[in-house]
Amino acid sequence: LKVTATDRADNRSYQSRNILIRAVEKADLAEFVFPAHGEQISSHFTLDGRIVSATMPQKATVFLGDQPFATVDLNKEGYFSLPVDPASVEDGTLSFRIEAVSAAGAAIVSETRSIEYTRLGPWVDVDSFFTGDFVSGRPYLVGNAGWDMEVADKADKEAWATYQRLLKDRKPVKVEISRDNGRSFELAKGIEKFKYRLETQEFTNGELRLLVRVTFASGETATRKRIFTVDTKAPDVVLVQPAENGRFNESIVIEGTAFDLNGLSKVEVVVRTGDKASYEVPGFIQGSYLDLHVMGATRFETGLGLSFFEDNVKLQGEIGQGFEATPSWKNLFGIKTPDTPASELSRFGGWVLGLKMLANVAYLPFGYWFGPDWDFFSMSVTIGAAFTYFSQTYDIGSIFSPPNGKYMVLSAVVGQWEFAKFTFDTTFFKSIGLYLEGGLVFIPSEASGSLAESIKPNIAIGMRIGLF
């Protein structure tokens, strides 16, 4: 509902309100979802049910026969799942019912649900989610399967031989999952302890019915069912007032609408000083990262960088140290010793400052080849340019005032192979990447005109940590 007031100068003010129109009020209802009436159940199983009421209660009581069996908590949609311990029930016909009292004081009673139960026999159950749960992302459906039997006496050779044969026949050989009520199945990973990835990005939002089936060596099967709700869509939020760039005195009235098909848990309002753009990272900046590498043209360098345009361009500043002596296999980090001859002293040393720009030329997401389970791992190849300032002093306080005013700036062409990049689904500390870097450093000041002395190849190994 929106009410608008307009004055003679055509200035307008308005107020809006949400109202909910219900054509028919929900009838109070209690019912079992699983197992089905008359179903034959063995060993481990779960009672799934729900309460429907305009004034939803928080708890319900499950009766076995005429005696209270358990008190269950209801989720916001009224669903509950009650794992039943085989030790708590007897073989034979079991009759359950649900009783609850609504917030308005009305009694809600279900019809009786009867099953045929034996404590020994085949079973399969799901542990990670219960009926009525919401699923999003790519969670694993985890469960267990087996066949409960009485252990024979080893002293009775015939009984023990029969027991061993039955163990082989009743060994679970595969677990399958169906999303279309048994018309087609997909194989789960594992058997006695199985898991199945729910690729919710491929599912339609709404109700998801799963059928879990375990097959034993003898060909017999056992099944269980679950109902979930897939919700991968973010809520819709509309701010009605205040208007953009409005001016206000004393107080601000904030009004808007928020909607989600499956309901909302909370709505928060944050008021901060300054323009909203000051709280946002510009769209062309992908994130920030820390970089550390050893070897190459310097002993080590560490720096901070920004990535742009979907992480395809990187710009970073660095600080580090150059070599004191010419590096070799015996002296990889170019450390000067009293025995180091003058001819092996490095010409490019001291504290260094660097600037590097890189651009992706190839990107290999492993999820493209091996499925979404490998989305966290990727490789890439980049090329770019580097500029390094060698201060020629190891006194960091004199980095910009080297002795005798001698310093050197060298440029280089570099290429990187990021052979292992691990990406995490977090807001901060988003990735770790390991890379090899090869470079060609140009030394135009060499007295010799030979190419070997004017261009120095090098190789480095480094690590890049994505911050956001």
Side-chain angles (χ1 to χ4, degrees):
L1 177 66
K2 179 179 177 182
V3 178
T4 304
T6 307
D7 63 15
R8 293 181 179 180
D10 203 30
N11 299 308
R12 299 187 181 191
S13 296
Y14 61 86
Q15 292 284 327
S16 63
R17 293 290 183 269
N18 288 333
I19 60 174
L20 179 63
I21 300 175
R22 290 179 173 170
V24 179
E25 212 40 71
K26 288 183 179 179
D28 291 344
L29 170 69
E31 63 176 357
F32 286 101
V33 180
F34 302 121
H37 187 70
E39 187 174 349
Q40 293 185 348
I41 301 293
S42 302
S43 188
H44 306 271
F45 73 101
T46 303
L47 286 171
D48 296 331
R50 66 168 182 163
I51 304 292
V52 178
S53 176
T55 54
M56 186 68 69
Q58 294 182 343
K59 296 181 180 292
T61 302
V62 177
F63 283 78
L64 174 57
D66 294 325
Q67 299 299 319
F69 181 68
T71 299
V72 294
D73 294 321
L74 306 176
N75 67 15
K76 292 183 178 181
E77 286 67 44
Y79 283 97
F80 71 87
S81 286
L82 174 64
V84 178
D85 185 353
S88 65
V89 292
E90 300 292 335
D91 289 3
T93 301
L94 304 179
S95 298
F96 296 95
R97 76 175 186 275
I98 310 168
E99 293 188 7
V101 178
S102 70
I108 308 173
V109 182
S110 73
E111 294 182 353
T112 300
R113 177 66 55 91
S114 297
I115 61 172
E116 300 299 322
Y117 180 74
T118 56
R119 282 180 290 179
L120 302 178
W123 59 273
V124 60
D125 215 351
V126 175
D127 303 325
S128 55
F129 293 99
F130 295 110
T131 289
D133 285 351
F134 286 96
V135 292
S136 60
R138 301 176 58 245
Y140 272 114
L141 186 77
V142 178
N144 297 276
W147 192 309
D148 288 350
M149 301 191 313
E150 290 184 351
V151 180
D153 185 2
K154 270 191 175 183
D156 188 338
K157 293 184 178 180
E158 184 177 348
W160 184 253
T162 301
Y163 173 70
Q164 293 299 316
R165 177 177 54 80
L166 289 175
L167 276 179
K168 293 181 181 179
D169 290 342
R170 294 173 177 177
K171 180 179 177 60
V173 293
K174 64 178 177 180
V175 176
E176 300 167 295
I177 311 294
S178 174
R179 293 188 284 115
D180 52 14
N181 203 30
R183 287 189 291 272
S184 64
F185 285 89
E186 297 178 23
L187 199 63
K189 294 182 179 179
I191 303 175
E192 287 90 350
K193 294 183 180 293
F194 65 88
K195 62 180 182 179
Y196 173 78
R197 179 77 82 177
L198 296 174
E199 303 287 0
T200 56
Q201 73 277 11
E202 301 174 0
F203 303 162
T204 303
N205 274 243
E207 187 178 86
L208 172 65
R209 290 177 173 262
L210 292 183
L211 172 65
V212 183
R213 181 178 71 183
V214 56
T215 303
F216 298 88
S218 62
E220 296 182 71
T221 61
T223 60
R224 288 292 183 271
K225 294 181 179 180
R226 284 285 190 273
I227 297 178
F228 308 128
T229 300
V230 177
D231 187 357
T232 60
K233 185 179 179 181
D236 295 323
V237 179
V238 177
L239 185 63
V240 178
Q241 64 174 358
E244 182 80 5
N245 297 319
R247 294 178 179 272
F248 303 90
N249 293 322
E250 294 186 0
S251 63
I252 304 174
V253 177
I254 301 174
E255 293 184 357
T257 63
F259 171 78
D260 188 85
L261 187 63
N262 296 305
L264 299 166
S265 60
K266 62 181 178 180
V267 177
E268 295 179 323
V269 176
V270 178
V271 180
R272 300 178 293 190
T273 60
D275 189 276
K276 65 183 180 181
S278 63
Y279 293 95
E280 299 177 352
V281 176
F284 68 93
I285 297 180
Q286 183 74 18
S288 179
Y289 63 89
L290 290 174
D291 184 277
L292 172 66
H293 72 263
V294 294
M295 308 302 292
T298 58
R299 181 182 294 163
F300 75 88
E301 285 182 272
T302 183
L304 181 66
L306 293 175
S307 58
F308 305 87
F309 308 113
E310 299 185 356
D311 211 21
N312 285 313
V313 177
K314 297 178 179 68
L315 179 65
Q316 65 191 58
E318 301 169 323
I319 185 172
Q321 275 190 358
F323 296 109
E324 294 175 295
T326 303
S328 64
W329 287 113
K330 294 182 179 180
N331 189 9
L332 285 175
F333 291 97
I335 298 174
K336 177 185 174 182
T337 66
D339 299 329
T340 303
S343 61
E344 293 185 9
L345 295 178
S346 175
R347 291 186 56 213
F348 313 110
W351 285 99
V352 302
L353 297 173
L355 182 67
K356 188 179 295 182
M357 187 171 186
L358 302 166
N360 269 9
V361 295
Y363 174 66
L364 177 61
F366 272 48
Y368 179 82
W369 302 100
F370 303 112
D373 283 347
W374 283 85
D375 282 347
F376 72 96
F377 189 79
S378 63
M379 291 183 180
S380 63
V381 176
T382 62
I383 61 172
F387 301 90
T388 307
Y389 164 82
F390 292 86
S391 68
Q392 307 289 55
T393 176
Y394 288 94
D395 178 9
I396 194 169
S398 303
I399 191 171
F400 293 111
S401 55
N404 303 321
K406 293 181 179 180
Y407 64 88
M408 187 165 291
V409 177
L410 299 181
S411 61
V413 174
V414 296
Q416 288 184 359
W417 173 36
E418 191 172 42
F419 57 87
K421 181 178 180 179
F422 304 90
T423 303
F424 312 114
D425 188 17
T426 54
T427 303
F428 188 74
F429 190 66
K430 298 192 67 173
S431 65
I432 293 179
L434 303 176
Y435 64 83
L436 287 174
E437 178 183 280
L440 296 175
V441 180
F442 301 102
I443 311 175
S445 62
E446 288 290 351
S448 172
S450 68
L451 186 63
E453 292 184 348
S454 298
I455 300 177
K456 296 290 186 181
N458 58 72
I459 189 167
I461 184 168
M463 177 174 65
R464 197 158 28 234
I465 301 174
L467 300 180
F468 65 86

